[in-house]
Amino acid sequence: MKNDIEHIFQEKFDNFEAAPSSSLFDAILAKRAAKKRRAAWLWSAAAVCTIGLGTWFLTSNIPETSPPVAYKKTESPTHSQKSEQNISEESEILLSEKIDPVIPIQDTKKHDSKINTIAGAIQSDAKTTIQKSPKTTDAAPLVRDINTTVKKDDQSTNIVNSDYADLFNKFAKEDQDVDRSKARLFLGDKKQEVASDYRLPTNKNTPIPEPKNIPQTEAHIPLPNPSNLDLSADTTASPLPVRKLVTLNRWNIEATAGVGAGKGIPRSSDPAYLELRSTTDNPRLSYAFDVRTIYRLNPTWNLQAGLSYVKRNEEFTFTSSDAWEYTSREEVRTRTIVHPVLGTIQEEYTVNVTDSALTAGKNLSSTNSYTSISIPVSVERMIILSPKWTMLTKGGFSAGITSQATGQIVVSSDANELSPLQAKKTGIHGIHLGIGVMYRASDRISLIAYPTGSMDLVSRINSDAIFEQRDMNIYTHIGFRVNL
Amino acid sequence: MNQTKNNTKANHLDELELIKGCVDNDVQCQKVLYEKYAPKMMGVSLRYCNSKMEAEDVLQDAFIKVFDKIKTFKGEGSFEGWIRKIVVFTALKSNDKRVRKFEPGSLGNVQEQSFDPLAISNMETANLLSILQELPDGYKAVFNLYAVEGYSHREIGEILGISDVTSRSQYSRSKQHLIKLLAKYGIQRL
């Protein structure tokens, strides 16, 4: 009897059919097509943005001929140890490594190389501001010669030294304090700087000078008057620091480990559920590990891609409310009918009785964890604060590979107990943003501290659940970056 | 002419070929599949919804999911059961907010009422559906899942995020409510 109603409804509805509107299939196709178009549009927009940004990065500030370089200070031999051969060898090094963009100058006579080397030695030492410049009447023709010589050597390279020439003219004519650090040498399009401490090549007709009394300090050194320089003089005691260029590879590898915390942001159409969840999630210490390959686009912009593992922990606490439990049963009862003819009749009948019981609320808790593996792709901007310290900012997209949620959770506002949380999903994509600092421990190895925030763009919970949940995390990554 | 030929060809495909065609996004196969299962799934959808329009919205969303996810069908169990599950879950999700509001309700007036099984059996299914649709959404969901779909109370608890005890008590109440509604339409045990 108890099961009759189930049987009847099952029989009645098991093969029940009803015709939907004739246009429904067309509506399904149209909606699917619109969904695909929207997805295609989003991907196209993302691709266009990526290509546009990439092109902009590549064209805005990239050296065309040489990879990024770093200066390494080395001790040079004294002047007495510099034979002509040595000078010549060093000229080769300097010209090939440091002044690579001004190749036409390299083609000049060896005599010029000597001049360059010595001038370089002088100005490497006097690398910063020149406070007081010497008077020279040869300055103007000297500058003219620079331009003329370069143009003669190679018209196609078109090295223009007008900034430097203007400054030098000013220096020569007015004999005023000149900040030499502001003088820079550019290639023809003025976008590419040749070298920040490039040495002024001297006129090949000028007698080869030799610096005298070179000070050991690097700051505020006046430029010696070339007419006073004598190559034949012996300058034994003064070791000249020479800046040698170390070419850095564009490729770097970074490995970091981070600790932090995160929170799941639930979404549901039931406000009561959201209110309930605001009291139940308690963030716990969480972990993140990153390995990335970094490609240096130019001295300020990097592209990164790698593998990221994140494990977010939380303590889920929940106090269930008092609940009434109802159980149904059938009870046979007897009633007495007093009939005027038949007399007293006892009749049995069955009734459904519902028993109720009160269950008191309990404090329930569960340690939940959400783990995920993803491929982060980021664009990084470097702001050099000092030779050792660099500020880093990065932003990017994480393509999720796999994600798993384990633990227990409340799944609806009227739930009175925890339900298992065993969601496994792929494609948990997200975005991330970081700002950190990098300390250059050596030419190749840097230490980094990189606080990074991330947020999911899709739910971590399986699609058949009645709520969505996206994670938001903040981790402080500590690690190192190695230039390959 | 060509389309008619294609339709005829698709109609003769067996289910496996039909699924394969849908995986390849073949519109003809999708149409045949839809025409094969849509009436039955509309019947399922109607039981969970309050109107035909609502049921059609659910059916539309469900078939979009079917076509999107058909490549994940591994052939375990019947294909009809797989589609039916998608329709049921889509209906529950679309009625999410209403389904989850389980009103305690009073059982006092219905405890003594019963029904005549024969009278119900003789009813038109459409009329029975109208009565079923009058049930509050929470009751309707539990009743459909237990009495018609055949899920256990533990499974219903997992689906709806409630305990199996709550599911049991909700089912009991929904049944009483249904009997009360049947009584309203004159179906009562003598």
Side-chain angles (χ1 to χ4, degrees):
Chain A
M1 182 69 185
K2 187 185 173 185
N3 290 327
D4 279 352
I5 199 160
E6 286 91 341
H7 288 146
I8 292 164
F9 273 83
Q10 212 160 23
E11 273 174 23
K12 282 274 177 190
F13 286 110
D14 198 32
N15 291 311
F16 174 62
E17 293 186 358
S21 302
S22 55
S23 60
L24 194 64
F25 182 70
D26 293 333
I28 290 168
L29 289 184
K31 202 168 175 183
R32 280 194 84 212
K35 212 171 147 186
K36 275 184 185 172
R37 270 200 304 275
R38 199 173 58 208
W41 186 88
L42 283 172
W43 278 112
S44 307
V48 167
C49 285
T50 310
I51 292 166
L53 279 172
T55 310
W56 182 71
F57 293 147
L58 289 167
T59 54
S60 62
N61 200 15
I62 304 168
E64 288 168 15
T65 51
S66 63
V69 293
Y71 293 98
K72 185 178 180 182
K73 191 174 178 181
T74 56
E75 288 302 317
S76 72
T78 61
H79 280 295
S80 61
Q81 292 167 318
K82 280 185 178 177
S83 64
E84 189 168 339
Q85 179 63 29
N86 285 341
I87 290 169
S88 177
E89 281 171 4
E90 191 176 338
S91 300
E92 292 290 328
I93 293 164
L94 284 164
L95 286 170
S96 62
E97 290 188 15
K98 187 170 184 176
I99 321 171
D100 192 36
V102 288
I103 288 164
I105 296 172
Q106 196 179 5
D107 296 333
T108 58
K109 291 176 183 176
K110 205 167 190 177
H111 180 66
D112 293 333
S113 298
K114 286 179 192 173
I115 296 166
N116 286 336
T117 307
I118 293 161
I122 296 164
Q123 293 185 20
S124 296
D125 209 10
K127 74 165 198 168
T128 54
T129 309
I130 298 169
Q131 284 188 321
K132 190 76 178 173
S133 54
K135 233 177 203 175
T136 174
T137 52
D138 294 330
L142 183 73
V143 171
R144 277 198 303 277
D145 280 344
I146 294 165
N147 291 322
T148 313
T149 307
V150 169
K151 281 173 186 170
K152 266 183 201 167
D153 284 341
D154 187 353
Q155 292 290 343
S156 62
T157 310
N158 190 26
I159 295 173
V160 178
N161 200 8
S162 59
D163 288 0
Y164 205 75
D166 291 346
L167 191 71
F168 205 82
N169 279 330
K170 189 181 174 187
F171 151 83
K173 286 177 184 169
E174 297 176 18
D175 189 21
Q176 290 177 347
D177 290 351
V178 177
D179 185 354
R180 193 195 170 280
S181 66
K182 289 180 180 170
R184 292 181 293 174
L185 183 65
F186 293 87
L187 284 184
D189 58 3
K190 291 199 175 182
K191 283 184 179 174
Q192 186 185 342
E193 193 176 344
V194 172
S196 60
D197 60 349
Y198 173 69
R199 303 169 298 287
L200 178 70
T202 56
N203 186 352
K204 58 184 175 185
N205 297 325
T206 309
I208 299 169
E210 178 73 27
K212 284 182 178 176
N213 302 322
I214 306 264
Q216 294 305 304
T217 55
E218 289 192 351
H220 310 308
I221 300 167
L223 188 69
N225 188 343
S227 60
N228 295 334
L229 299 176
D230 180 9
L231 260 187
S232 59
D234 182 22
T235 53
T236 52
S238 50
L240 297 177
V242 173
R243 295 194 176 274
K244 181 183 164 189
L245 293 179
V246 176
T247 304
L248 296 179
N249 195 319
R250 283 180 184 270
W251 291 96
N252 297 267
I253 281 186
E254 179 185 290
T256 59
V259 290
K263 195 163 169 53
I265 312 290
R267 291 175 71 182
S268 169
S269 54
D270 184 2
Y273 179 68
L274 297 178
E275 196 182 327
L276 171 72
R277 284 293 301 275
S278 67
T279 60
T280 53
D281 301 6
N282 304 294
R284 292 287 179 264
L285 194 66
S286 306
Y287 310 96
F289 301 94
D290 257 24
V291 179
R292 292 181 183 224
T293 306
I294 299 165
Y295 181 73
R296 197 167 176 183
L297 293 171
N298 61 36
T300 50
W301 289 98
N302 293 335
L303 269 183
Q304 305 185 345
L307 204 62
S308 176
Y309 171 86
V310 175
K311 184 175 184 183
R312 178 172 80 78
N313 296 318
E314 72 173 15
E315 186 76 14
F316 193 91
T317 54
F318 173 65
T319 306
S320 63
S321 54
D322 295 348
W324 285 98
E325 289 182 10
Y326 300 94
T327 47
S328 293
R329 62 185 169 84
E330 287 180 346
E331 191 176 286
V332 178
R333 294 182 182 175
T334 310
R335 62 183 164 197
T336 307
I337 300 167
V338 181
H339 196 275
V341 180
L342 300 173
T344 303
I345 302 166
Q346 296 283 336
E347 189 189 64
E348 282 192 348
Y349 67 101
T350 308
V351 291
N352 281 330
V353 179
T354 301
D355 297 323
S356 60
L358 179 68
T359 308
K362 293 173 284 186
N363 288 326
L364 305 168
S365 73
S366 169
T367 304
N368 298 343
S369 66
Y370 298 84
T371 54
S372 64
I373 298 173
S374 60
I375 299 173
V377 180
S378 320
V379 176
E380 185 180 59
R381 172 90 163 93
M382 300 200 298
I383 301 165
I384 297 170
L385 303 174
S386 74
K388 289 286 184 189
W389 291 94
T390 304
M391 199 173 98
L392 308 166
T393 54
K394 72 177 171 188
F397 177 78
S398 294
I401 299 173
T402 181
S403 129
Q404 193 159 13
T406 55
Q408 289 186 306
I409 202 167
V410 169
V411 292
S412 70
S413 57
D414 59 349
N416 223 17
E417 58 188 29
L418 298 176
S419 301
L421 178 67
Q422 289 171 343
K424 189 166 186 180
K425 279 188 85 175
T426 54
I428 304 295
H429 309 309
I431 51 170
H432 57 266
L433 200 65
I435 180 163
V437 288
M438 178 166 75
Y439 175 76
R440 215 170 88 194
S442 73
D443 284 335
R444 302 283 180 201
I445 298 172
S446 301
L447 306 175
I448 53 177
Y450 223 143
T452 305
S454 64
M455 184 159 184
D456 290 346
L457 295 176
V458 289
S459 174
R460 283 184 179 265
I461 303 302
N462 283 346
S463 56
D464 55 358
I466 56 107
F467 69 98
E468 289 189 348
Q469 185 172 309
R470 299 168 189 205
D471 273 15
M472 197 166 74
N473 300 300
I474 294 177
Y475 294 100
T476 298
H477 286 263
I478 306 283
F480 59 88
R481 188 175 289 186
V482 180
N483 185 258
L484 298 176
Chain B
M1 183 68 184
N2 275 342
Q3 199 176 341
T4 318
K5 202 174 176 182
N6 283 339
N7 268 333
T8 317
K9 187 186 169 190
N11 281 328
H12 287 91
L13 297 174
D14 68 10
E15 194 165 82
L16 206 63
E17 285 171 321
L18 212 53
I19 292 168
K20 199 170 172 296
C22 290
V23 169
D24 296 338
N25 264 327
D26 183 335
V27 177
Q28 293 304 327
C29 289
Q30 287 174 343
K31 190 165 188 183
V32 173
L33 187 94
Y34 170 81
E35 282 167 356
K36 186 175 178 185
Y37 291 108
K40 195 168 262 188
M41 294 309 137
M42 183 68 181
V44 174
S45 181
L46 276 168
R47 280 191 284 111
Y48 289 86
C49 300
N50 296 325
S51 65
K52 191 183 174 190
M53 197 185 286
E54 213 177 279
E56 283 189 344
D57 284 346
V58 166
L59 194 68
Q60 179 178 318
D61 289 346
F63 266 97
I64 287 172
K65 277 186 196 169
V66 167
F67 293 143
D68 283 347
K69 309 266 180 184
I70 198 162
K71 54 182 173 289
T72 65
F73 177 67
K74 293 169 186 166
E76 295 162 0
S78 78
F79 185 60
E80 187 186 325
W82 184 74
I83 296 181
R84 193 186 182 98
K85 196 173 174 182
I86 289 177
V87 173
V88 169
F89 276 71
T90 308
L92 289 174
K93 201 160 185 174
S94 82
N95 297 336
D96 188 12
K97 199 172 173 182
R98 287 173 293 147
V99 169
R100 261 139 237 301
K101 284 194 174 171
F102 294 107
E103 301 296 336
S106 165
L107 300 177
N109 297 334
V110 294
Q111 279 181 7
E112 297 292 328
Q113 290 188 15
S114 188
F115 60 92
D116 181 1
L118 193 65
I120 299 174
S121 294
N122 290 335
M123 275 181 82
E124 286 290 325
T125 311
N127 294 336
L128 210 53
L129 180 70
S130 303
I131 294 171
L132 188 62
Q133 284 180 333
E134 277 188 47
L135 276 177
D137 291 307
Y139 288 165
K140 196 156 54 191
V142 174
F143 184 83
N144 270 316
L145 289 170
Y146 184 79
V148 186
E149 313 294 349
Y151 285 103
S152 70
H153 284 300
R154 192 182 58 78
E155 288 169 326
I156 294 169
E158 282 173 11
I159 293 167
L160 298 178
I162 56 177
S163 69
D164 54 345
V165 177
T166 308
S167 170
R168 211 179 293 275
S169 64
Q170 286 297 321
Y171 176 68
S172 176
R173 280 197 212 112
S174 67
K175 203 162 75 169
Q176 295 299 342
H177 202 102
L178 191 66
I179 292 166
K180 197 177 163 187
L181 284 171
L182 288 167
K184 202 172 95 180
Y185 286 93
I187 311 296
Q188 198 168 351
R189 192 181 182 189
L190 296 174

